[in-house]
Amino acid sequence: MSATTRRLTTAQALVRFLSAQYTERDGVRRRLIAGTWGIFGHGNVAGVGQALVEHADVMPYHQGRNEQAMVHAAVGYARQLNRLSAQAVTTSIGPGATNLVTGAALATVNRLPVLLLPGDYFASRAADPLLQQLEHPVGADVSVNDTLRPVSRYFDRVTRPEALIPSALRAMRVLADPAETGAVTLALPQDVQAEAYDWPEEFFTERVWYVRRPAPDPAELAAAAEAVRAARRPLVVAGGGVHHSEAEEALRAFADATGIPVASTQAGKGSLRHDHPADLGGIGHTGTAVSDELARTADLVIGVGTRHTDFTTASGTLFQNPDVRFLNVNITGFDAHKLAARTLVCDARTGLERLTEALTGHRVQESYAAEYRAGKERWEQVVETAYRAGDDTAVPTQTQVLGALDAVVGDDDVVINAAGSLPGDLHKLWRSRSPRQYHLEYGYSCMGYEIPAALGVQQAAPGTPVWALVGDGTYLMMPTEIVTAVQEGLPVNLVLVQNHGYASIGGLSEETGGERFGTAYRYRADDGTFTGAPLPVDLAANAASLGMDVLRAKTVRELRDALAEARASDRPTCVYVETDPAPTAPPAQAWWDVPVAEVAAREAAVQARERYDAQVAGRRRHL
């Protein structure tokens, strides 16, 4: 042990340690843990809570209202800053800790860093059982925090003060590693949090975690370049890794040099500006017609920073060319090897730069470029129709809501969404103008993400207009952080779309034989059916009661005016609009596999199964 020590409690030592951790990439240094969200209870109030008071000079504190929401806010913050800076979340034991699980899963699924610090039971077992303790009959060391193990990239229970030293260092390594990052959990027994220890002074010295940009292997690079040169109909699928790596300029240079078109996943949209000649918009089940048409005939699919989820591949039915092959540029071998692909296991920006150099002088045939540009132009007319059709004095459709927002936002505004029917409409129709403008959480598609994530984005980008787009179903999941926005003075804008039900799942229910059962907010009749009358619920009044300024819009014209007023405001503002529930977005351009009842008595389900069997016959396993 060092000759120089500092006597602190375990919680105090952790806070001091976290305040001295930094990341650095391309010469830019950031705090790795820039602040801590917290809700206090008996599992953390006297430990981490006291430490945050003791060391408020080095660790900003943010008060949340819901533990899951705090994780969402931290995830929004980390995504906005390309995973180079993160936040911590502390909770009590019991329900405070288990409320973290959904947020942790979202973070890990999306490869986004967040540090979770839940309280835990007494390591000494001095008080046993505790309030809220789960007593496991065959595992005395099991606590509710073990539910966080499968959704964490690193997990440890710190049962002695000195055990924090290796555990904290391992936690920072995982958080800062772009190939491993996600939720990291340090479960902290409440007695250990308060226990004092003589800490080596070196534990608190400034430490920089360098975020690597690994280059591709030369042999892999040569094989990749050969595959691209041999392709006649190549297509890039840009995923979230393009943004995380800040590879947007490298992707643009690649597309300019080769003429290869670019389609994007939900996480990758905005990798190219919408008006770039090679940008085809979204791909897959919620993609554009031009992207999906090209995907069906592509002979080489170049995935850059994508996980190739079922929405992207249309559940294995999208890439129909019998000779199609895949090339994946990804920082993780796990994702790079999907679809039996050739691999470039490397940083996305570095990989694209090296591949562009290796392809000097190579371009796709002009007939192919003309084909996809004509398809892009046709789709732009579809977008215009969806955005602008109708009377300015009429009740707006959902796509007209997006058109009105499109007319108001600036290039650097951030638009956040995660669940419901809006992700599909946005993926098809939204015109991304900058790399950070389109913020869709679709790896976990978690209802309730949007409002807290907007807080995190606003913290990461002060002065940037931030829009949380939510439907009524999502709003009812988690409106609590409106209070936090008001308390912290974060001028987020909420666009609350009221169509009196779960529009997305209602449509899916109808398509799969469920007849929209349980998807509308309506009065229930004595026989268990739902009447046509909507419930007398006023969500705008609810938002106002939580402290937001609320603007109600009844027509398209009023909506545009309200959005402009909200953007100019320096207070948290809600624009509330009831929409015409009739779907106006273009239909899905590709399939998505949701299994339908194989046998049923109701005709709707029988017909749905016939449609399902016809679609599933087109599935391929790419080997």
Side-chain angles (χ1 to χ4, degrees):
M1 181 164 296
S2 168
T4 305
T5 60
R6 192 185 312 190
R7 191 162 182 80
L8 298 170
T9 68
T10 303
Q12 292 165 0
L14 177 59
V15 171
R16 295 300 302 191
F17 169 83
L18 293 177
S19 71
Q21 307 305 303
Y22 292 83
T23 63
E24 185 172 316
R25 185 171 72 181
D26 303 330
V28 178
R29 185 171 296 190
R30 294 183 182 274
R31 276 274 295 265
L32 176 51
I33 304 299
T36 298
W37 289 90
I39 296 175
F40 297 112
H42 69 92
N44 65 340
V45 65
V48 174
Q50 190 282 327
L52 289 169
V53 174
E54 186 97 359
H55 301 291
D57 57 323
V58 295
M59 181 58 68
Y61 165 71
H62 311 293
Q63 184 180 25
R65 267 73 197 176
N66 176 285
E67 291 86 359
Q68 178 183 324
M70 293 193 297
V71 185
H72 293 337
V75 167
Y77 178 92
R79 175 170 168 172
Q80 182 68 19
L81 295 176
N82 303 317
R83 308 192 296 191
L84 298 174
S85 186
Q87 294 175 321
V89 177
T90 180
T91 72
S92 67
I93 65 174
T98 52
N99 278 352
L100 295 174
V101 175
T102 297
L106 180 148
T108 296
V109 165
N110 287 285
R111 319 298 208 252
L112 292 166
V114 60
L115 176 61
L116 307 180
L117 304 173
D120 213 321
Y121 313 145
F122 281 61
S124 67
R125 313 287 174 87
D128 186 62
L130 296 174
L131 173 67
Q132 299 178 329
Q133 180 172 344
L134 173 70
E135 294 185 272
H136 199 287
V138 296
D141 62 341
V142 173
S143 86
V144 296
N145 285 329
D146 288 285
T147 60
L148 289 160
R149 288 182 184 271
V151 293
S152 296
R153 294 291 290 169
Y154 177 77
F155 178 98
D156 194 15
R157 180 174 287 111
V158 182
T159 56
R160 289 185 58 82
E162 59 267 37
L164 177 66
I165 296 174
S167 187
L169 291 168
R170 291 168 187 156
M172 297 304 103
R173 181 193 66 78
V174 173
L175 287 170
D177 189 333
E180 293 194 34
T181 196
V184 167
T185 300
L186 297 181
L188 303 172
Q190 58 180 309
D191 54 343
V192 177
Q193 290 180 45
E195 186 175 343
Y197 182 72
D198 292 322
W199 302 89
E201 196 63 42
E202 291 88 347
F203 187 54
F204 307 113
T205 57
E206 184 175 296
R207 193 179 303 267
V208 179
W209 302 85
Y210 291 93
V211 180
R212 298 182 295 275
R213 287 195 181 278
D217 177 85
E220 282 194 335
L221 179 62
E226 180 182 355
V228 176
R229 289 184 182 277
R232 293 293 174 263
R233 299 182 65 82
L235 173 67
V236 169
V237 176
V242 175
H243 294 311
H244 299 329
S245 178
E246 298 176 290
E248 297 91 355
E249 179 58 29
L251 179 61
R252 186 197 62 76
F254 177 83
D256 287 346
T258 64
I260 297 175
V262 177
S264 55
T265 69
Q266 286 280 17
K269 193 173 170 74
S271 295
L272 291 182
R273 267 188 65 103
H274 74 93
D275 53 3
H276 189 283
D279 180 65
L280 306 183
I283 190 171
H285 178 63
T286 53
T288 68
V290 59
S291 287
D292 288 349
E293 287 166 5
L294 259 67
R296 292 184 178 98
T297 59
D299 56 0
L300 180 68
V301 178
I302 307 169
V304 183
T306 177
R307 299 186 298 124
H308 289 297
T309 67
D310 61 341
F311 257 59
T312 299
T313 68
S315 300
T317 64
L318 185 58
F319 305 111
Q320 296 179 359
N321 187 324
D323 299 319
V324 67
R325 293 295 181 265
F326 297 85
L327 166 64
N328 288 334
V329 182
N330 206 291
I331 201 163
T332 74
F334 179 84
D335 289 317
H337 282 274
K338 289 176 177 176
L339 302 177
R342 292 184 180 273
T343 61
L344 278 182
V345 181
C346 60
D347 169 72
R349 191 174 87 179
T350 303
L352 285 169
E353 289 171 346
R354 300 289 174 85
L355 188 57
T356 303
E357 292 169 4
L359 292 169
T360 298
H362 174 75
R363 284 188 65 82
V364 299
Q365 294 180 354
E366 181 54 35
S367 59
Y368 181 52
E371 176 187 343
Y372 70 68
R373 287 171 184 164
K376 175 180 173 67
E377 186 175 342
R378 288 193 299 273
W379 188 258
E380 182 60 27
Q381 295 305 310
V382 173
V383 175
E384 278 295 318
T385 299
Y387 276 7
R388 316 298 177 200
D391 183 353
D392 272 9
T393 62
V395 173
T397 64
Q398 184 161 285
T399 53
Q400 286 175 318
V401 171
L402 299 184
L405 186 62
D406 174 77
V408 168
V409 300
D411 284 7
D412 295 323
D413 290 28
V414 179
V415 176
I416 301 173
N417 187 240
S421 58
L422 278 165
D425 292 359
L426 285 160
H427 200 205
K428 293 189 197 82
L429 303 174
W430 188 258
R431 298 159 166 166
S432 297
R433 308 178 199 176
S434 64
R436 298 294 163 270
Q437 184 174 80
Y438 188 87
H439 184 125
L440 259 285
E441 187 289 296
Y442 217 58
Y444 212 48
S445 187
C446 186
M447 296 177 72
Y449 172 82
E450 295 90 340
I451 296 173
L455 273 59
V457 171
Q458 193 78 80
Q459 288 177 328
T464 298
V466 178
W467 303 85
L469 274 58
V470 301
D472 43 62
T474 289
Y475 179 85
L476 287 168
M477 285 280 183
M478 199 169 293
T480 53
E481 301 318 296
I482 288 175
V483 177
T484 303
V486 173
Q487 179 179 10
E488 299 252 341
L490 298 170
V492 296
N493 298 309
L494 169 62
V495 180
L496 178 49
V497 179
Q498 170 66 285
N499 54 26
H500 300 287
Y502 299 116
S504 174
I505 296 302
L508 182 62
S509 172
E510 186 171 41
E511 177 64 24
T512 58
E515 303 176 53
R516 293 185 176 265
F517 177 75
T519 62
Y521 299 145
R522 306 283 176 176
Y523 282 106
R524 184 185 292 274
D526 292 339
D527 63 359
T529 61
F530 292 91
T531 70
L535 299 175
V537 175
D538 191 338
L539 299 183
N542 178 259
S545 75
L546 296 177
M548 271 195 146
D549 293 344
V550 174
L551 306 171
R552 296 176 184 257
K554 296 182 178 179
T555 67
V556 175
R557 183 179 301 155
E558 289 178 4
L559 176 61
R560 277 198 293 265
D561 292 343
L563 292 170
E565 185 177 343
R567 190 174 188 273
S569 176
D570 60 359
R571 276 189 40 78
T573 304
C574 170
V575 176
Y576 174 84
V577 57
E578 294 201 36
T579 57
D580 184 336
T584 53
Q589 305 297 309
W591 186 60
W592 181 43
D593 188 351
V594 177
V596 176
E598 191 168 1
V599 295
R602 297 179 70 86
E603 184 61 24
V606 172
Q607 293 181 7
R609 182 67 193 199
E610 291 174 356
R611 295 192 298 268
Y612 178 83
D613 288 339
Q615 292 285 355
V616 79
R619 191 194 328 266
R620 293 182 60 188
R621 292 192 183 275
H622 298 284
L623 301 173

